[in-house]
Amino acid sequence: MLFRSLDFDIFKPKTPPLFGMDISSSSVKMVEMVDAGKGVPRVERYTIEPLAKDAVLDGNIANLEAVTDAVQRGWKKLATKTKNVALALPTAAVITKKIIVPAGLREEELEIQVETEANQYIPFALEEVNLDFQVVGPSPSSPEEVQVLIAASRKEKVEDRVAVAQAAGLKASVMDVESFAVQASFDLIKKQFADEGRDQNVVLVDVGGNVTNIVVLRNDQAVYTREQAFGGMQLTQEIMRVYGMTQEEAEAAKRSGGLPDNYEPEVLRPFLENVALELQRAMQFFFTSTPYTSVDHILLTGGSAVIPGLEDVVSTRTQVNTLVANPFASMAINQRIQLKKLVADAPSLMVACGLALRRFDA
């Protein structure tokens, strides 16, 4: 397989000491974990390094040098000797498809079958893509067949991230997909739900800078996805407009506070209401386009998830149990890490956390 020939495969586990690195549009996030014993992971260290504006656009690395510089700065701050890294491709850059094949095929036969099937679903020549697959389980319709999940991405998407790691002096040992990494982090969080969320609809809301991604999970399967064109940058721009600040000043003020008394009622509150309104719209689309008519939990992720008041406004407006994501809640934490800061950063570390967990794959 093409992912495997490059030693980057989404589905086959790797077990070298490694750390997770999430290259997003605004920052490079790194998380390293170790085994604290009895199967409990310990967060050993993490860091978030800001990226230059437009260094990453729509998930694509537009400025290799700027991203490499940020990775090098982040790795230095991480203060680890580990150089193996798990990376992720943007979900939009990966085509996934479930297919049905006969059970009992040998590995070589399965590869041939997958490549034959992939030709029908991938709008590129196979030599232009990295391809990987995993047997999911028995076919629901026949015991003599199995379900196989195929994942494929254009080679240059993989190679760009590999090039960044190499230029920074690191080795890309795992290439995952952002949605799969988030799923790994969610598996830790769902323990907080009754019956671990079984047969429940959980809405993951990733409030990013310019885009909010909404995924509804049911029994570990995505049953609905939607992208909404709004995010935390709208609040930043409103702070800039009202108070005459630069973007850097507005971002800092948004996080640390200290804005005039009219900020909360005239700037913050309308933004929070807008987020809740957009989420309500997305939920209505979900109800009208699927058999489901209710949502059990909302999980806020992304850098804007910790904006004061967002959790309460969303919960009030939607009348749905709402939580800010913290995949580290059940983990051991190195005493050098400031717990309060980790909790604040946790919603934006979902991808990096999921990637770091690849260290424990058996």
Side-chain angles (χ1 to χ4, degrees), residues 128 142 286:
E128 296 177 15
S142 168
F286 166 62

Side-chain angles (χ1 to χ4, degrees), residues 122-162:
I122 299 169
F124 314 109
L126 278 184
E127 58 266 22
E128 296 177 15
V129 303
N130 289 129
L131 184 66
D132 197 14
F133 65 87
Q134 181 183 44
V135 176
V136 178
S139 165
S141 56
S142 168
E144 297 178 358
E145 296 176 320
V146 293
Q147 278 189 324
V148 177
L149 178 61
I150 300 174
S153 180
R154 295 290 294 267
K155 279 186 176 179
E156 63 261 28
K157 304 289 187 182
V158 175
E159 290 166 356
D160 281 353
R161 276 165 166 71
V162 173

Side-chain angles (χ1 to χ4, degrees), residues 188-201:
L188 300 173
I189 296 170
K190 70 182 183 182
K191 295 173 184 176
Q192 302 174 43
F193 302 143
D195 204 20
E196 295 196 356
R198 193 169 289 110
D199 296 329
Q200 298 168 39
N201 294 327

